[in-house]
Amino acid sequence: MNGTLMNMSLPHNSPPRLPLRGRVRPYVLIPFIITLALLDAWMFYLVGHPSRDLEVHFLDVGQGDAILIETPGGVDVLIDGGPDRSVLRALPKKLGLFDRHIDMVIATHPDKDHVAGLIDTLDRYHVSYFMGPGIAHDSSYADALTEAVESEPGLTAFVARRGMRIHLGEGIYADVLFPDRDVTNVETNEGSITLRLTYGETSFLMAGDVSSTIEDYLVTLDGEALQSDVLKASHHGSRHSTSAAWINAVRPAVFVVSAGKGNSYGHPAPEVLERARSVGAEIVSTIESGTITFVSDGTHVERK
């Protein structure tokens, strides 16, 4: 089954209106021979099975971010890839051992803890679309990612801008809320792509490593429209992010922290966790829980 990827507001920067391939789903064979039936059932388990639910996985990649989105129609989107090859151990557990295609990769910004793992991901998986913020960079990891994107056969790359809506099929879409300007020479964290993923009445908000300055700016632009069921902590729960205005506008039911155990930055900061608790959010962290998965049927979000 295929979703579609398109841009509704920025035709000068819009990706082609082409179908995304979607994850390959096995067919159940007619069990004339028991051996073939058993083989088919095993392959069905390994590759994955159809579902009416949207699944969002906050992958355990240590001190970094990596978020895998799987739609009911079989479209896969990876947002960031963590600081190393850990993402390559996490992806097969969700996509299946034999799926080597990811429809879209999004690099929120070019810092190592978000993009280093994407270099190996592009080597291992065929990727159809790539989206980045357009931030200038001079790190070896960011340069290697640029080279990997440019050498990937058939890949279409484009720059994220506010107003873009990425359609993933089944009525699921992701809106780009930020950047809303040229961020070529902006500090990398401050130019992070901010996305709000929507399926029916449910939503997920993910803002890379933006600081409270950008969060508060988005509150002035979007206000209560930011409200989401699940909020990923900006900058791994840094004390410089997740402002009071931001958490009160989003009012998430669940606050997700993606960070590494014993990290030297002190993430997540106690004051950030307190702000999340102040709005009644449940706090979950990859530090304690490893990979965290949510499922949405378009009406309710539950932790799997």
Side-chain angles (χ1 to χ4, degrees), residues 252-270:
V254 185
F255 184 71
V256 179
V257 178
S258 181
K261 184 176 182 179
N263 68 83
S264 61
Y265 306 100
H267 297 157

Side-chain angles (χ1 to χ4, degrees), residues 10-26:
L10 297 176
H12 64 281
N13 193 33
S14 61
R17 296 171 180 259
L18 297 176
L20 293 177
R21 185 192 66 92
R23 186 158 68 257
V24 174
R25 305 294 188 183

Side-chain angles (χ1 to χ4, degrees), residues 44-290:
F44 189 84
Y45 171 78
L46 289 177
V47 178
H49 54 279
S51 168
R52 292 180 298 173
D53 293 332
L54 168 71
E55 297 194 0
V56 180
H57 312 280
F58 294 85
L59 303 177
D60 181 15
V61 291
Q63 182 62 22
D65 271 12
I67 303 164
L68 177 66
I69 299 166
E70 297 183 280
T71 76
V75 174
D76 304 319
V77 178
L78 178 64
I79 304 173
D80 291 331
D84 51 35
R85 293 175 59 88
S86 298
V87 69
L88 294 185
R89 294 191 291 272
L91 286 172
K93 296 176 183 178
K94 302 303 177 184
L95 296 178
L97 295 178
F98 304 106
D99 188 352
R100 292 300 178 86
H101 185 278
I102 296 174
D103 296 288
M104 186 175 186
V105 164
I106 299 171
T108 59
H109 62 296
D111 285 356
K112 177 187 175 184
D113 58 333
H114 290 252
V115 303
L118 293 181
I119 301 164
D120 292 312
T121 300
L122 282 163
D123 182 58
R124 177 77 60 86
Y125 291 83
H126 173 67
V127 176
S128 297
Y129 296 93
F130 177 87
M131 182 171 73
I135 300 172
H137 51 76
D138 57 5
S139 75
S140 59
Y141 297 99
D143 289 341
L145 177 60
T146 297
E147 183 178 344
V149 168
E150 291 176 348
S151 61
E152 176 75 5
L155 182 148
T156 298
F158 58 101
V159 176
R161 286 293 180 267
R162 180 179 175 87
M164 287 182 169
R165 173 166 289 183
I166 303 164
H167 292 272
L168 301 174
E170 314 296 322
I172 301 167
Y173 58 88
D175 287 325
V176 177
L177 305 183
F178 195 81
D180 63 350
R181 68 198 74 176
D182 181 2
V183 291
T184 303
N185 297 311
V186 170
E187 192 274 328
T188 55
N189 287 341
E190 298 296 70
S192 293
I193 296 173
T194 298
L195 291 170
R196 186 171 184 269
L197 175 70
T198 300
Y199 179 30
E201 300 171 12
T202 65
S203 53
F204 299 76
L205 185 58
M206 299 156 283
D209 280 1
V210 298
S211 71
S212 295
T213 301
I214 301 301
E215 291 174 340
D216 291 350
Y217 171 65
L218 288 173
V219 171
T220 66
L221 293 180
D222 297 313
E224 294 181 356
L226 292 169
Q227 194 283 318
S228 300
D229 297 282
V230 178
L231 172 65
K232 186 201 76 75
S234 306
H235 205 179
H236 320 287
S238 163
R239 63 187 179 89
H240 300 294
S241 300
T242 312
S243 70
W246 178 251
I247 198 76
N248 278 285
V250 180
R251 304 195 71 81
V254 185
F255 184 71
V256 179
V257 178
S258 181
K261 184 176 182 179
N263 68 83
S264 61
Y265 306 100
H267 297 157
E271 55 264 47
V272 166
L273 300 182
E274 184 56 37
R275 286 196 285 271
R277 293 188 188 100
S278 73
V279 297
E282 176 189 0
I283 299 169
V284 294
S285 170
T286 58
I287 297 173
E288 287 85 23
S289 302

